[in-house]
Amino acid sequence: MQRLLITGGAGFIGSHSVEAARRAGWQVRVLDDLSTGDPRNLPADVELIAGDVADAAAAAQAVADCTAVLHLAALVSVPQSMAEPAATLRTNTTGTAVLIEAARQANVRRFVLASTCAVYGDLPGRKDEASPVQPLSPYAASKLMAEQWLQLYARAYGMETVIFRYFNVYGPRQRADSPYSGVIAKWCDAVQSSAPCIIFGDGEQTRDFVSVHDVAAANIAALAGDWRGEDGAWGGVFQVGVGVSVSLNQLLDTLQQAAGYPITREYRPARAGDIVHSAGSSDRLRQRGWQPRVDLETGLRELLRDW
Ligand code: NAD
Ligand code: UD2
């Protein structure tokens, strides 16, 4: 049985990726500093190393005897990165550099990175993998630099690296208890506790919401087979989204339909670092046989039912 390291595996996307990897036959090890992740998200028999990806000793221990690495560990909040730029760089960029060097030394074959469509900033129109990048936050810039490090490891060392740019991911186990939590988690929590849903801005900002189940499936698919980019080289970029852009006001309407009762909404000033419009296609990923299987209304119903 081949061993896979999932960093950030005790987190939201990570824990679903652990489950999908085990179903696919991988022996899974997790490296997570439990800063936002929770060991209760993991099956009891999963090997968990509590440690920091930016710590070379922890990274070396974590990659030992692994065939592949799925690198999800990060500081994920845009507003938090605006407040803590240096910490964001350390975890998201330096942490990636330390981990991938440990992976190279351990002869890891495949290295997959969770990046973000936030790298495009607020450029107009639908994005694809060739769109120009314009990071507007330390979070987005740190992820773009991590991407470039993976492309360097493909060119300079021949490592099979793959880069995913996720759009907005939602689903079970996304935390709602932080001011930095994702909007769908925050709003489901509000709905279930009869509190108002807070909208930062006019609610016309748009996002492409993709189920965590579909993202986990993409993560596992990229661990084997030919995932070289359009130019035939490793280090290719693949967008992971549904390809449908929804405004927050539309999202609230859909959530209200899923809840079956009126939701109170409260508008507040827009957040610093926020991108306004996010729209993209996942054609390149679909060409490899992936497709989203959970539509937003179904996903919201699942969330509210189990909240
Ligand atoms: P999350 O906070 O649940 O997961 C991050 C995990 O990394 C947590 O378990 C946390 O404890 C761990 N971690 C943080 N810093 C660490 C460090 N220094 N060393 C070891 N572990 C550390 O968030 P998530 O939404 O599951 O995000 C997973 C990945 O997906 C991140 O790389 C994020 O940037 C990326 N991503 C998420 C979204 C989204 O919409 N959720 C969108 C685009 C990209
Ligand atoms: C999410 C990810 C981030 C990044 C990006 C990719 C989280 C926490 N962050 O950032 O990792 O990769 O997606 O596109 O998942 N909002 C409200 N009310 C709330 C909360 C948020 O109006 O209670 C707004 C917020 O101002 C923003 C939008 O909802 O306009 C989405 O915010 P988010 O924090 O869910 O996600 P985003 O896009 O900042």
Side-chain angles (χ1 to χ4, degrees):
M1 191 185 282
Q2 294 185 322
R3 182 180 280 109
L4 166 68
L5 171 67
I6 301 181
T7 72
F12 164 48
I13 298 172
S15 59
H16 288 277
S17 300
V18 167
E19 290 169 359
R22 297 183 87 179
R23 285 196 299 271
W26 288 90
Q27 183 174 348
V28 178
R29 175 185 294 154
V30 169
L31 172 63
D32 199 307
D33 72 352
L34 305 180
S35 52
T36 56
D38 186 332
R40 291 170 298 179
N41 287 336
L42 294 169
D45 64 340
V46 166
E47 183 188 359
L48 169 60
I49 298 174
D52 179 352
V53 285
D55 171 351
Q61 181 192 355
V63 297
D65 307 317
C66 288
T67 309
V69 172
L70 174 59
H71 179 35
L72 302 175
L75 188 156
V76 307
S77 165
V78 169
Q80 186 177 0
S81 81
M82 296 294 285
E84 301 172 35
T88 303
L89 180 71
R90 177 187 181 280
T91 291
N92 296 1
T93 307
T94 306
T96 299
V98 168
L99 182 76
I100 199 169
E101 177 55 17
R104 182 175 78 91
Q105 297 293 343
N107 297 314
V108 167
R109 178 175 45 78
R110 181 72 54 95
F111 193 105
V112 180
L113 169 72
S115 184
T116 168
C117 66
V119 301
Y120 301 116
D122 254 337
L123 294 177
R126 290 180 71 77
K127 314 297 189 302
D128 65 25
E129 290 84 353
S131 295
V133 293
Q134 186 190 59
L136 295 180
S137 66
Y139 167 75
S142 70
K143 283 291 188 176
L144 184 59
M145 290 185 276
E147 289 187 12
Q148 291 166 343
W149 213 250
L150 262 75
Q151 287 165 343
L152 169 72
Y153 266 67
R155 293 190 197 109
Y157 304 111
M159 191 180 270
E160 295 177 357
T161 60
V162 182
I163 296 158
F164 278 148
R165 286 180 184 159
Y166 305 154
F167 280 77
N168 284 60
V169 188
Y170 73 96
R173 299 190 212 127
Q174 189 173 31
R175 292 185 63 154
D177 60 351
S178 153
Y180 301 130
S181 293
V183 62
I184 286 180
K186 295 291 285 183
W187 286 359
C188 283
D189 210 43
V191 167
Q192 298 301 47
S193 48
S194 307
C197 288
I198 309 299
I199 300 114
F200 297 118
D202 60 6
E204 287 308 302
Q205 66 262 52
T206 60
R207 293 292 188 275
D208 175 337
F209 293 105
V210 57
S211 166
V212 68
H213 302 302
D214 291 325
V215 171
N219 287 343
I220 304 317
L223 298 173
D226 185 354
W227 281 78
R228 286 174 294 178
E230 297 292 288
D231 57 359
W234 290 97
V237 176
F238 300 84
Q239 293 190 156
V240 188
V242 173
V244 175
S245 251
V246 174
S247 75
L248 291 203
N249 290 322
Q250 290 167 327
L251 175 65
L252 268 169
D253 295 342
T254 306
L255 191 63
Q256 190 160 277
Q257 283 164 353
Y261 47 82
I263 292 175
T264 52
R265 22 189 113 183
E266 192 179 304
Y267 290 86
R268 293 189 187 165
R271 294 188 318 192
D274 247 11
I275 56 175
V276 180
H277 291 299
S278 174
S281 78
S282 51
D283 292 350
R284 196 176 279 186
L285 184 57
R286 292 168 189 258
Q287 285 161 12
R288 280 171 172 68
W290 176 90
Q291 61 177 339
R293 299 187 184 283
V294 181
D295 68 273
L296 184 56
E297 185 161 354
T298 304
L300 291 175
R301 286 188 193 283
E302 174 201 27
L303 259 183
L304 286 173
R305 184 192 63 222
D306 302 339
W307 201 263

